[in-house]
Amino acid sequence: MKLSANEEYGLRCLVRLAYAGFEERALTIPEISQAEGVSPAYAAKILRVLRKGGFVKAARGKEGGYTLARPAASIRIGDVIDALGGRLFESDFCDSHAGQAPICTRSVDCSVRSLWRAVQVAVDQVLSKTTLRDLLQNEEEMNSWVRTIPGANGLRLIQ
Amino acid sequence: MKLSANEEYGLRCLVRLAYAGFEERALTIPEISQAEGVSPAYAAKILRVLRKGGFVKAARGKEGGYTLARPAASIRIGDVIDALGGRLFESDFCDSHAGQAPICTRSVDCSVRSLWRAVQVAVDQVLSKTTLRDLLQNEEEMNSWVRTIPGANGLRLIQ
DNA sequence: CCTAATCTATACTTAATAGTCAAGATTACT
DNA sequence: AGTAATCTTGACTATTAAGTATAGATTAGG
Ligand code: FES
Ligand code: FES
């Protein structure tokens, strides 16, 4: 249960593109690569995932580059993370972790499964209510905003 | 951001040991291995992590086996998951994902970091309030119980 | 039409996780 | 003491994720 590199870099790239969108500007792979400190080839690989997910669009050739495919406010971070790193508790998780048994021997009635669902719901609670637009604020604004998420009341962000 | 195999199997083993504990019974590696459908060698590897984490204790030799190191009610699932799979948003995550730059170029004021913290808190909200004891109920009881977690009110478990 | 700047696709290498294997150490029982 | 059942350890292999390399396709502008 760890954030993946794809999730981290992918989201950072999107935020950058959203900012560039304010000035109607496209960003090229070299630009993004340098801004995030990753290799151009790796940036390209990440951008491809974002393009296939429908979050950004690309223009080729001179004067080309990447822009958001739709307004930042309509891009749910939950969807972005799904595209970049899959779900925490995939629907086939129990099937694929059944070892040699046909399925978790407790599968008809499994409290562990119930716990994973609860964790997944808790994560979705935050991610599905956050849009790319919400990430275009400074950290402090973001901290207060996140506390207003219903179901996440009382979250304490001091770590 | 995916559950790891260690987390899944480790937690399942622990639940099994908790049930065996009701009858003051130790479970051997072959027993656990067969019950969970994984190889004995793999079960041994997982049990080792749990032992090093202080959740189970082992007795060697004939009549040996594994038992819980302390009462199920005092084993926080959050701690177990930390031992088995690390944290979602490790404290050095941003440092180790800075690419060639010394750190995320937005690091003094990063809304993405704030989001990751919020997700981590949401996960902790569930896991730190759940003990192994809570997992010793059937799935339905577990579903209702999980809804009572403060801060997770209104969670909907239908997936 | 040619060129330079750009994205695209696939294959490759490296690192991390998942899972196996084999040799050793401890204990109960006879 | 001897034996069989048990855990312990470290090294090994396989699979997946992270990151690189290279050749090709598209476009603006001269
Ligand atoms: S059904 Fe998935 S852990 Fe039991
Ligand atoms: S500081 Fe971690 S993503 Fe910006």
Side-chain angles (χ1 to χ4, degrees), chain A residues 23 52 64 70-71 78 81-84 94 98 100 112 115 126 135 141 146 148:
Chain A
E23 319 164 8
K52 298 218 160 180
R70 44 202 165 94
I81 298 301
D82 283 356
L84 289 166
C94 288
Q100 288 131 350
V112 173
L115 178 69
V126 175
L135 287 174
E141 287 166 346
V146 115
T148 69

Side-chain angles (χ1 to χ4, degrees), chain B residues 1-137:
Chain B
M1 188 162 28
K2 290 189 161 123
L3 285 174
S4 72
N6 259 11
E7 285 160 345
E8 168 76 353
Y9 292 126
L11 192 47
R12 268 154 57 171
C13 292
L14 217 45
V15 169
R16 236 170 243 287
L17 286 169
Y19 275 114
F22 284 154
E23 319 163 8
E24 313 266 349
R25 212 160 72 79
L27 295 182
T28 67
I29 284 175
E31 281 171 333
I32 295 172
S33 141
Q34 184 160 33
E36 293 302 341
V38 301
S39 76
Y42 189 30
K45 189 172 180 177
I46 291 163
L47 268 303
R48 175 145 94 131
V49 177
L50 290 174
R51 176 170 50 85
K52 297 217 160 180
F55 306 110
V56 306
K57 61 187 174 199
R60 296 216 245 191
K62 236 181 152 170
E63 309 293 298
Y66 290 89
T67 50
L68 291 187
R70 41 201 166 94
S74 77
I75 295 182
R76 258 204 309 263
I77 303 302
D79 297 336
V80 175
I81 299 300
D82 284 356
L84 290 166
R87 315 248 323 143
L88 186 80
F89 182 57
E90 301 274 4
S91 54
D92 69 343
F93 184 82
C94 289
D95 288 349
S96 60
H97 289 79
Q100 288 131 352
I103 193 176
C104 161
T105 41
R106 219 182 283 107
S107 76
V108 266
D109 181 18
C110 181
S111 58
V112 173
R113 180 172 51 187
S114 171
L115 178 69
W116 296 150
R117 283 210 193 107
V119 173
Q120 177 72 67
V121 168
V123 169
D124 289 345
Q125 201 83 5
V126 175
L127 293 185
S128 75
K129 295 209 167 68
T130 306
T131 70
L132 185 53
R133 175 70 193 73
D134 299 318
L135 288 173
L136 306 183
Q137 36 190 357

Side-chain angles (χ1 to χ4, degrees), chain A residues 89 93-95 97 103-114 116, chain B residues 8 12 36 139:
Chain A
F89 182 56
F93 184 81
C94 288
D95 287 349
H97 290 79
I103 193 174
C104 161
T105 39
R106 219 182 284 108
S107 76
V108 266
D109 179 21
C110 181
S111 58
V112 173
R113 181 170 53 186
S114 172
W116 295 150
Chain B
E8 168 76 353
R12 268 154 57 171
E36 293 302 341
E139 190 163 4

Side-chain angles (χ1 to χ4, degrees), chain A residues 135-155:
Chain A
L135 287 174
L136 306 183
Q137 36 189 358
N138 68 37
E139 189 163 4
E140 198 183 348
E141 287 166 346
M142 182 74 195
N143 277 344
S144 357
W145 178 82
V146 115
R147 286 200 201 88
T148 69
I149 295 179
N153 289 310
L155 294 191

